Amino acid sequence: MSEHRRKPPQPQEGGRAATRRGQSGSSSGRRAAPRGATGSPSDSYGSGFHGPGGEDPSSGGRADARRAGGRRRAAEPAGGRRGGPSGPPSRGRGRSAPAKKRLIDYPRADKYGWRRWVPSWKLVTGLFVGFMGSLVAVAGVGYAMVGIPKVDETATAQNNVYYWSDGTQMVATGGETNRQIIDLSQIPEAMRWAVISQENKTFYDDSGIDPKGIARAVFNMARGGQTQGGSTITQQYVKNAMLNDQSQTISRKFKEIFVSIKVGAEQDKDDIIEGYLNSAYYGRNAYGIQAAARAYFDKDAIKLNEGECAFLAATLKGATYYDPAGATSIDAAATPEANRRRAQAQMQDTLDKMVEYGHLDAAKRAQFPTLPKLENPRSNTQLSGQTGYLVDLANGYVITHSKETGITQDKLQQGGYSIYTTFDRKKVEQLEKAVSAVQKDNIKPKERPDTDTHVQFGGASVDPATGAIRAIYGGEDATKHFTNNADQTGSQVGSTFKPFVLAAAMTWGVRDKDLGSSQAQDERTIVSPESLFSGKNKLKIKNYDGTIWKNEKGEEWLQTNDGQASHGSPPNYKIDLREAMRESVNSAFVQLGMDVGLDKVKEAAERAGIKESSLTGADFPSFSIGISDPSAIRMAGSYATFAASGKQRDPYSVQKVTSQDGVIYTHKTETKEGFTSEVADNVTDILKTVVEKGTGTAAQLPGREVAGKTGTTDGNKSAWFVGYTPQLSTAITMFRYDDDETKKNRTFLEMFGTGGQKKIHGASFPAEIWHDYMAEAMKNLPKKSFPAPRPIGEVLNEDPIPSPSPSVTESEEASPSPSPTPSETQQPEPSPSPSDTCNNFFGCDNNSGGANGGGNTDGGTGTTSPSPSPSDTGDVTKGNSNGGFFGGSSG
């Protein structure tokens, strides 16, 4: 026997005794020697069987010992001893019971350590098969339970009913279904191929669903993100047909999947495309291709040409953003110009794909380079006059506040809602009457076609105590003029912006010019209304530290005043801020804005209630004199903040919404501190002097306190009056722009000579309309006074005040733009050149609506800017056009 197999010496006992111990080891309670205790790796658990030298003294001992050891080994669990896979060897004294077999061996009994937790391939395979089987079973049940929808049975849209603020009904409209089902033979083949080419080119070959698209949609919904619709035509058809359940849930999505699979398997593809084209929403309240053909082109669907079909296919992506008429009441970004641009690009892309996929001849495709001619988007006579604007405004509010209302655009179109607005019927009628009277008496396009065509008015009236919009004037007729002039126009506000500069100076103060820029931000001096600033015409504008402001070209800025007039006595021409506001002196407020910091001026406007999206960049001196374009609603709302002693409340148009389920939304007014009462009341006190003996005297209401400000932009392209009493704040705007929807670029037009007047300014027609409306609107309200202002700030730049020079004879009109040198001659209006023929250092744009520059009427803006302003081309849709009620988020 080899050395390593030799057994160690054993106790001097007989072999039979050892054998007996081995046979009875499991029951005697005596512990067997541990394996390896003698140093031999081959020792069995019962090594005491042998005598010295490894030989059994008994002739039968060795065989018995082997049998006993074998029995013990057979009784042990597979893979280890009693201690388990990772425990010590078993020291038991007998045979252990066999391990009980488990149905699912997890954690695994025959492994130890981390291997116990790694499932076997059998387990993984079994679970996968079980899971897939369950899915098949669920899918089978779901497939069997769903039915194929029928569009004519599920299209159950109802009217929405709109109410005035007193609870009486305004109109029942907006949710009715304009639908007419037609056969596939009555749908142009080009319409089918336009939709298929753009939406689902494999329509005739696929199974009806897009697994990847479904997975994305379910994942997004599961994590609370934006939902996504099915990407195939079959899925979209099913979604359109399931009008009775438009909830965005995973369960509804799975239902849609099952229905799509069933529709794809059991219905003919031609029936599916027919159903889709008859159920889809094309905008303008048109469901189905026949209604869409009538709404957009006033013809039957069968007569649509390839270009018209491609256009209608574009509207299926979302009519809010592809109808050239625009939808700014829903989204300020959905302007007519932006929508026209999107629709044109989408239409051309569709035509290109039709050619690429062999559905359209290239020569035929070349016949449609532009959008087709479209019809009037409003055919519902119930929405004529101001009603259409009111309904649009209420709808826009409900949709943009969908998180609170729970109403999406799709749900609103289905109808069934009672919408209680904030609009006061009498005030709406009074505002419309005031505008119509001035327009009828003064605006005569037949007599003066060159000056009186394309004249537009807009207005809004807001309750300072709540923010409720009480009245608007959106235009002459909502069925003829589609842009709501109260909500978004793009016209600049001119000098009506100056109160925000004053509020900023009283809130944060001017920066200390003796300190570095970082310290100056912290070291400031609050400004008193008696603070003095230069009223000199062609004032050289300085930075707060005294250095001359220059543009990126190194050119200096000279700010002109109304009528090229200097205010105050030479040589210093100093006037206090009260007089500067009363006479609307540009130079004083431009320099004040620079001293305060234009970032603070911008912040003051936002704190008053102006949406940031309607403000131009605060990088140029003329920002302080109104190159931004907030809406009439927002201007009325921001002045209401001053009327409410600094309490800011956002304008709103819907008080309550109900459905068959009861009240689903009630407005809750949120009040913020825009300014302290000291600041707001001092601004109001200064604006009172504008109406009492300044540029706004036409707005006086006998026996009532009125505060307000006139505003006119350079080039005489817009004019404003914004004013308020303690109970009501109202903004009126007037402008001219080419409202021809067929033109690509609509531009603001000058108003020199309009209405038979040499110039139009805020003190003329806008103030007249404001006065006539407010005189009626305030008739039954008690007379209230504004709070007396408390002293505020320090008097800056104080020195002996010279007697003010006579103000210009013209009430507030614009002067030419700033000139490079005082020696240049006065121009009658801004000229489009940076040369001597244009008094503006940065060049002039004759189409400008008043960008950065000097003299505007009543101290408004100049003609151009170093960087284009939102309407420096006069195009109402260019640049920043988010001045609407909802901002822009829109406001």
Side-chain angles (χ1 to χ4, degrees):
M1 180 180 296
S2 62
E3 184 65 25
H4 72 277
R5 296 288 292 170
R6 184 175 297 127
K7 301 295 187 292
Q10 299 297 322
Q12 299 298 317
E13 295 186 25
R16 287 190 179 88
T19 301
R20 284 195 300 270
R21 286 195 299 272
Q23 290 174 340
S24 60
S26 62
S27 59
S28 66
R30 184 178 299 172
R31 296 178 60 186
R35 180 173 184 172
T38 62
S40 173
S42 61
D43 280 341
S44 69
Y45 299 135
S47 58
F49 288 138
H50 311 289
E55 305 226 355
D56 195 333
S58 172
S59 61
R62 183 174 298 174
D64 290 340
R66 283 198 297 269
R67 285 193 295 273
R71 283 194 295 271
R72 282 196 301 276
R73 286 193 294 272
E76 289 181 358
R81 307 172 181 92
R82 288 192 188 191
S86 60
S90 174
R91 298 175 186 266
R93 292 183 180 168
R95 187 182 303 167
S96 60
K100 196 179 228 181
K101 189 170 183 181
R102 294 182 292 174
L103 180 63
I104 299 177
D105 184 23
Y106 191 82
R108 298 170 69 180
D110 60 343
K111 301 293 182 182
Y112 59 91
W114 61 269
R115 291 179 178 83
R116 281 171 55 83
W117 306 101
V118 178
S120 67
W121 68 269
K122 292 181 180 180
L123 178 60
V124 172
T125 302
L127 290 176
F128 177 76
V129 171
F131 175 72
M132 294 304 295
S134 300
L135 282 183
V136 171
V138 171
V141 173
Y143 185 88
M145 293 180 63
V146 299
I148 296 177
K150 293 182 179 179
V151 175
D152 56 349
E153 292 180 357
T154 56
T156 57
Q158 309 169 56
N159 282 343
N160 293 314
V161 183
Y162 299 81
Y163 295 89
W164 296 103
S165 59
D166 62 0
T168 59
Q169 183 172 317
M170 179 197 307
V171 65
T173 186
E176 67 274 13
T177 302
N178 178 15
R179 186 200 307 278
Q180 181 180 351
I181 305 298
I182 58 176
D183 294 331
L184 187 63
S185 60
Q186 298 300 306
I187 299 175
E189 187 175 354
M191 186 66 206
R192 285 179 272 165
W193 290 123
V195 173
I196 291 172
S197 298
Q198 187 61 251
E199 302 291 335
N200 184 191
K201 67 178 181 178
T202 61
F203 168 71
Y204 278 103
D205 301 316
D206 62 37
S207 62
I209 63 170
D210 175 17
K212 291 183 179 179
I214 292 171
R216 286 194 304 269
V218 172
F219 177 73
N220 281 345
M221 284 187 286
R223 68 176 186 175
Q226 291 293 320
T227 59
Q228 295 178 347
S231 59
T232 69
I233 288 175
T234 302
Q235 287 176 260
Q236 294 178 55
Y237 162 60
V238 169
K239 183 176 183 294
N240 293 339
M242 294 166 64
L243 293 179
N244 59 331
D245 183 10
Q246 288 293 315
S247 60
Q248 299 293 346
T249 62
I250 293 180
S251 61
R252 196 210 68 84
K253 192 67 182 176
F254 275 112
K255 182 179 179 181
E256 178 187 315
I257 293 171
F258 291 138
V259 175
S260 298
I261 294 172
K262 197 163 192 174
V263 169
E266 299 184 14
Q267 277 197 339
D268 184 78
K269 289 289 187 177
D270 284 346
D271 293 337
I272 295 174
I273 191 68
E274 175 188 308
Y276 173 63
L277 294 176
N278 275 316
S279 63
Y281 181 66
Y282 297 79
R284 300 193 178 186
N285 202 40
Y287 290 84
I289 184 62
Q290 176 65 14
R294 282 293 174 188
Y296 285 96
F297 306 111
D298 195 23
K299 63 172 68 173
D300 290 330
I302 192 63
K303 297 181 179 179
L304 295 172
N305 62 39
E306 288 82 354
E308 292 165 340
C309 290
F311 166 78
L312 290 178
T315 64
L316 293 176
K317 297 184 73 65
T320 297
Y321 302 100
Y322 288 89
D323 183 352
T328 52
S329 63
I330 296 175
D331 190 335
T335 62
E337 173 62 21
N339 281 17
R340 187 179 298 109
R341 184 171 56 253
R342 280 188 286 262
Q344 167 72 7
Q346 187 70 13
M347 170 187 165
Q348 297 305 313
D349 181 65
T350 299
L351 290 170
D352 289 341
K353 288 180 178 178
M354 291 173 69
V355 174
E356 178 183 352
Y357 302 145
H359 305 312
L360 181 64
D361 181 77
K364 188 70 174 177
R365 182 261 177 273
Q367 297 178 14
F368 308 105
T370 60
L371 289 175
K373 183 178 180 180
L374 304 174
E375 293 295 318
N376 184 335
R378 293 186 187 274
S379 58
N380 190 338
T381 56
Q382 294 186 84
L383 299 177
S384 61
Q386 298 305 302
T387 305
Y389 302 124
L390 297 172
V391 169
D392 284 349
L393 200 61
N395 287 345
Y397 184 88
V398 168
I399 293 171
T400 56
H401 290 76
S402 60
K403 289 184 178 180
E404 293 86 10
T405 64
I407 303 174
T408 63
Q409 186 173 9
D410 287 343
K411 289 183 178 180
L412 189 65
Q413 289 163 358
Q414 294 169 42
Y417 298 104
S418 294
I419 300 174
Y420 294 82
T421 73
T422 61
F423 307 130
D424 185 309
R425 182 173 188 170
K426 289 184 178 179
K427 287 182 173 60
V428 171
E429 292 173 349
Q430 291 162 349
L431 182 54
E432 183 178 24
K433 183 178 179 181
V435 174
S436 298
V438 168
Q439 193 166 26
K440 182 180 179 180
D441 292 344
N442 300 281
I443 310 302
K444 303 182 183 299
K446 292 183 178 180
E447 296 179 14
R448 296 182 291 267
D450 294 337
T451 59
D452 286 18
T453 55
H454 308 302
V455 174
Q456 297 289 333
F457 293 92
S461 203
V462 173
D463 182 352
T466 63
I469 303 172
R470 295 306 182 193
I472 64 166
Y473 181 84
E476 187 174 354
D477 190 331
T479 64
K480 299 176 181 178
H481 173 73
F482 313 130
T483 300
N484 187 344
N485 292 342
D487 190 30
Q488 191 273 326
T489 62
S491 64
Q492 297 175 349
V493 297
S495 288
T496 58
F497 200 79
K498 288 176 181 174
F500 306 133
V501 184
L502 183 61
M506 292 179 176
T507 299
W508 293 284
V510 299
R511 296 172 289 190
D512 191 328
K513 64 179 61 178
D514 296 326
L515 298 174
S517 59
S518 59
Q519 289 180 284
Q521 294 291 343
D522 299 325
E523 299 295 330
R524 292 173 172 267
T525 302
I526 301 300
V527 175
S528 162
E530 284 70 45
S531 294
L532 304 175
F533 284 82
S534 176
K536 181 182 179 181
N537 183 50
K538 297 181 181 178
L539 178 68
K540 187 175 291 187
I541 299 301
K542 299 179 180 180
N543 296 306
Y544 75 92
D545 60 2
T547 60
I548 303 299
W549 187 91
K550 296 181 180 180
N551 71 350
E552 68 276 7
K553 297 180 181 179
E555 298 166 321
E556 296 180 353
W557 183 274
L558 297 180
Q559 182 61 57
T560 62
N561 287 329
D562 167 21
Q564 297 287 341
S566 291
H567 295 261
S569 298
N572 294 327
Y573 295 98
K574 286 187 177 181
I575 56 172
D576 65 33
L577 291 176
R578 185 180 299 273
E579 181 184 354
M581 185 72 77
R582 185 175 69 240
E583 300 301 329
S584 200
V585 180
N586 284 348
S587 55
F589 280 96
V590 170
Q591 188 58 63
L592 177 61
M594 296 296 288
D595 291 349
V596 174
L598 298 182
D599 59 330
K600 294 299 184 184
V601 174
K602 182 177 181 180
E603 184 176 346
E606 292 178 20
R607 290 177 67 164
I610 300 297
K611 285 294 185 182
E612 193 277 337
S613 57
S614 67
L615 297 172
T616 60
D619 300 323
F620 308 101
S622 58
F623 178 77
S624 295
I625 49 177
I627 61 174
S628 299
D629 59 358
S631 67
I633 291 174
R634 283 291 167 179
M635 288 302 292
S638 65
Y639 273 48
T641 300
F642 297 127
S645 293
K647 302 300 181 184
Q648 191 272 325
R649 303 170 177 103
D650 275 346
Y652 69 101
S653 59
V654 174
Q655 186 64 50
K656 181 176 67 173
V657 181
T658 66
S659 69
Q660 62 182 6
D661 299 323
V663 178
I664 60 177
Y665 170 75
T666 300
H667 174 80
K668 296 180 180 179
T669 297
E670 181 180 352
T671 300
K672 304 174 185 176
E673 183 177 83
F675 308 103
T676 64
S677 58
E678 289 86 351
V679 170
D681 293 343
N682 270 278
V683 171
T684 293
D685 189 60
I686 291 175
L687 293 180
K688 282 173 56 180
T689 65
V690 175
V691 177
E692 291 169 355
K693 49 185 177 180
T695 60
T697 54
Q700 293 177 357
L701 298 176
R704 290 188 183 275
E705 289 192 352
V706 175
K709 184 71 186 75
T710 53
T712 310
T713 56
D714 191 54
N716 208 216
K717 294 175 182 177
S718 65
W720 290 74
F721 185 82
V722 186
Y724 54 95
T725 65
Q727 300 105 314
L728 200 61
S729 177
T730 300
I732 302 295
T733 181
M734 176 182 178
F735 51 91
R736 285 182 70 209
Y737 70 74
D738 190 345
D739 198 30
D740 186 351
E741 297 287 345
T742 64
K743 291 187 177 180
K744 184 176 182 180
N745 293 319
R746 292 178 294 165
T747 57
F748 281 91
L749 306 173
E750 295 175 344
M751 293 189 292
F752 296 106
T754 298
Q757 297 193 6
K758 182 179 179 182
K759 300 176 183 177
I760 298 296
H761 44 82
S764 56
F765 296 143
E768 183 180 346
I769 292 171
W770 189 96
H771 170 272
D772 294 348
Y773 160 67
M774 289 291 283
E776 293 297 319
M778 300 296 298
K779 185 172 289 186
N780 297 322
L781 296 178
K783 296 181 179 180
K784 291 186 177 182
S785 299
F786 292 114
R790 287 177 284 179
I792 190 172
E794 299 181 20
V795 178
L796 303 182
N797 307 320
E798 188 173 17
D799 61 14
I801 305 176
S803 300
S805 61
S807 60
V808 292
T809 57
E810 211 161 13
S811 61
E812 60 156 356
E813 259 328 290
S815 67
S817 304
S819 304
T821 64
S823 61
E824 288 190 2
T825 59
Q826 177 178 336
Q827 301 294 327
E829 66 163 304
S831 307
S833 170
S835 65
D836 290 343
T837 60
C838 174
N839 293 326
N840 191 299
F841 270 89
F842 308 123
C844 298
D845 182 350
N846 202 36
N847 287 331
S848 171
N852 301 323
N856 64 342
T857 58
D858 82 349
T861 65
T863 52
T864 59
S865 68
S867 179
S869 70
S871 52
D872 60 351
T873 62
D875 182 352
V876 297
T877 61
K878 285 190 175 182
N880 185 349
S881 59
N882 294 326
F885 170 31
F886 302 110
S889 51
S890 166

